[in-house]
Amino acid sequence: MGLSPKSKRRLQRILPFGVIWCVIGLFVLFIQEAATGNKNINPNAAITLTPKVFVFAMTSVTLIGLLMGTIEVLWLGNLFNNKSFYKKILYKLGLYSFLLLITIIIVYPIAASIELGLPVFHQLVLQKLSNFLISLDFLSTMVSIAVSLFAGLFYSEISQNVGDAVLKNFFTGKYHKPIQEKRIFLFCDMKSSTTIAEHLGHIEYFKMLKAYYADFTNAIINHSGSVYQYVGDEIIISWKYEEGIKNNNWINCFLAMKQDLHNKAEWYNNNFGLAPTFKSGFHVGEVTTGEIGTLKKEIIFTGDVLNTTARIQGLCNTYNVDILISEKLIKELKPEESLKIMSQGIAELKGKEEKMELFTVLRNS
């Protein structure tokens, strides 16, 4: 049995920490060895870089990076969500630095025992640790750790702001040149958003909108979706075709979003005096995907499928349904006993010459 989409996403976020720490560790070792001519000029405190010590050092650095990534992704990343960017970095640097100081006190004696061929708790090993903690080598180590920490945390914050997939694509250069690909799109729009905004006022409406989008997170992650854009009260979610049709991810994402919002209805009523609902349109088709922009770069999709999906979503009120799906996409839906498919007839989409049969889906009770 493979990893769940949520576990895969977590793993994809954690692994770069290991890579960052490994690369910076290699760079620091190279600089140190080049500066000293591959000689240990302070043998009482510094550890001679033998092949065994090198393997242990790089393995330890990578594992520490992965440990920091795991802590960041699973726990600490959400602890300072209400703080500004620089405050989050500073608070985390302080906390991680303390944890890493403890780690150094544990790891250094092991490396020294490998170098000296003595037990970890041998007097000479412990004496070397004591010398190290009051030496310039220790200060140098803490500086390199601080750089690794900052790079890892900076990556984490940037990936949260622009999205993991977008950041990865910028680094790999996948979309530097436009490519054509088949994608499924979901346009999801809050019902009566203008009335709600007028009723709540700007500040409370924004708070509700922030909670509203946050409540979609698990459904999107668990069904392999990715957020393309937030446009006011509308969210656009996209799937690569293969990922979207797998396990009916696209429709199950919608149903999970709807259920999660329903489960929070009482909370919304208590905090805002109302519970938001939404209407959605689905379509599938070819898009051109590429990196665009000079002052601000983005990865965008262009193609008729986006305009068509928006038009489909716009007809939800006309048909008095929460979801409308194009005929082209409904044919890709794998049969599920829990789902009931109903045709809404042939529709004429605004600005489109070609008419299209639309469908809605309900979960059987």
Side-chain angles (χ1 to χ4, degrees):
M1 187 175 180
L3 292 173
S4 67
K6 190 170 188 177
S7 297
K8 285 181 181 178
R9 184 176 183 273
R10 284 175 171 173
L11 191 60
Q12 288 170 353
R13 293 183 63 198
I14 290 170
L15 287 176
F17 282 85
V19 174
I20 289 169
W21 278 69
C22 182
V23 169
I24 293 177
L26 280 171
F27 178 76
V28 170
L29 281 178
F30 174 77
I31 294 297
Q32 286 178 343
E33 294 306 303
T36 61
N38 200 27
K39 293 179 181 180
N40 190 344
I41 59 176
N42 187 14
N44 292 327
I47 296 174
T48 303
L49 192 66
T50 64
K52 285 184 178 180
V53 170
F54 173 78
V55 171
F56 174 76
M58 295 316 304
T59 302
S60 298
V61 165
T62 304
L63 289 176
I64 290 170
L66 293 173
L67 176 62
M68 295 298 103
T70 302
I71 295 172
E72 176 69 18
V73 170
L74 299 185
W75 174 57
L76 201 57
N78 299 318
L79 196 60
F80 302 113
N81 270 348
N82 295 324
K83 302 295 182 183
S84 64
F85 178 83
Y86 82 91
K87 283 185 178 179
K88 279 195 279 188
I89 295 290
L90 288 177
Y91 290 157
K92 290 178 182 180
L93 272 174
L95 183 56
Y96 281 128
S97 295
F98 174 75
L99 293 174
L100 286 167
L101 178 59
I102 304 299
T103 304
I104 288 173
I105 294 172
I106 295 171
V107 172
Y108 182 92
I110 299 175
S113 72
I114 293 173
E115 177 203 18
L116 300 174
L118 297 171
V120 172
F121 295 105
H122 192 278
Q123 184 179 352
L124 291 178
V125 172
L126 297 179
Q127 181 60 50
K128 190 160 188 172
L129 170 63
S130 178
N131 294 339
F132 172 73
L133 293 175
I134 58 174
S135 69
L136 283 176
D137 293 283
F138 172 69
L139 183 60
S140 172
T141 300
M142 291 304 294
V143 169
S144 66
I145 284 175
V147 172
S148 300
L149 268 176
F150 182 83
L153 293 175
F154 188 79
Y155 153 79
S156 179
E157 293 300 321
I158 293 298
S159 67
Q160 281 190 332
N161 279 277
V162 304
D164 300 311
V166 173
L167 188 62
K168 182 179 73 173
N169 290 330
F170 277 136
F171 279 126
T172 60
K174 181 179 180 181
Y175 295 123
H176 285 350
K177 292 184 179 180
I179 63 173
Q180 197 167 29
E181 55 187 0
K182 191 174 183 181
R183 281 187 169 265
I184 297 170
F185 285 92
L186 160 61
F187 279 53
C188 179
D189 189 38
M190 185 189 294
K191 290 183 179 179
S192 306
S193 59
T194 303
T195 304
I196 292 172
E198 290 175 352
H199 172 71
L200 293 177
H202 294 298
I203 301 298
E204 288 302 305
Y205 176 67
F206 183 84
K207 290 178 181 178
M208 190 202 70
L209 197 62
K210 188 175 181 180
Y212 168 79
Y213 283 144
D215 288 333
F216 291 155
T217 301
N218 284 334
I220 297 169
I221 291 174
N222 290 336
H223 296 92
S224 302
S226 60
V227 175
Y228 172 43
Q229 284 180 341
Y230 295 104
V231 187
D233 63 319
E234 183 177 62
I235 180 174
I236 303 174
I237 302 167
S238 172
W239 290 264
K240 289 183 179 179
Y241 175 73
E242 295 77 11
E243 293 177 350
I245 62 171
K246 183 180 179 182
N247 301 322
N248 286 338
N249 273 326
W250 61 274
I251 189 64
N252 285 322
C253 179
F254 164 81
L255 295 170
M257 288 165 63
K258 190 174 180 181
Q259 185 62 51
D260 289 345
L261 206 59
H262 175 74
N263 293 341
K264 288 285 293 291
E266 184 177 353
W267 182 88
Y268 280 102
N269 279 312
N270 290 337
N271 286 272
F272 303 104
L274 55 90
T277 56
F278 62 91
K279 54 187 185 289
S280 299
F282 274 103
H283 191 35
V284 61
E286 296 287 334
V287 292
T288 300
T289 310
E291 186 180 307
I292 197 168
T294 303
L295 297 177
K296 179 180 182 294
K297 291 188 179 295
E298 287 187 31
I299 293 173
I300 68 165
F301 305 119
T302 60
D304 184 66
V305 59
L306 287 102
N307 294 326
T308 302
T309 310
R311 301 290 186 269
I312 292 171
Q313 187 269 334
L315 290 173
C316 284
N317 288 342
T318 303
Y319 289 96
N320 194 29
V321 293
D322 290 338
I323 178 174
L324 284 173
I325 306 163
S326 67
E327 179 184 7
K328 186 177 180 181
L329 181 56
I330 205 71
K331 289 178 180 179
E332 305 290 350
L333 183 63
K334 297 179 178 67
E336 286 189 20
E337 291 183 5
S338 62
L339 300 179
K340 182 180 180 181
I341 303 171
M342 295 181 294
S343 173
Q344 301 298 295
I346 305 296
E348 185 173 337
L349 303 180
K350 186 178 179 180
K352 303 288 181 182
E353 293 183 4
E354 186 180 353
K355 295 182 179 180
M356 180 183 295
E357 185 174 7
L358 299 178
F359 296 80
T360 192
V361 170
L362 298 175
R363 191 182 289 281
N364 287 321
S365 52

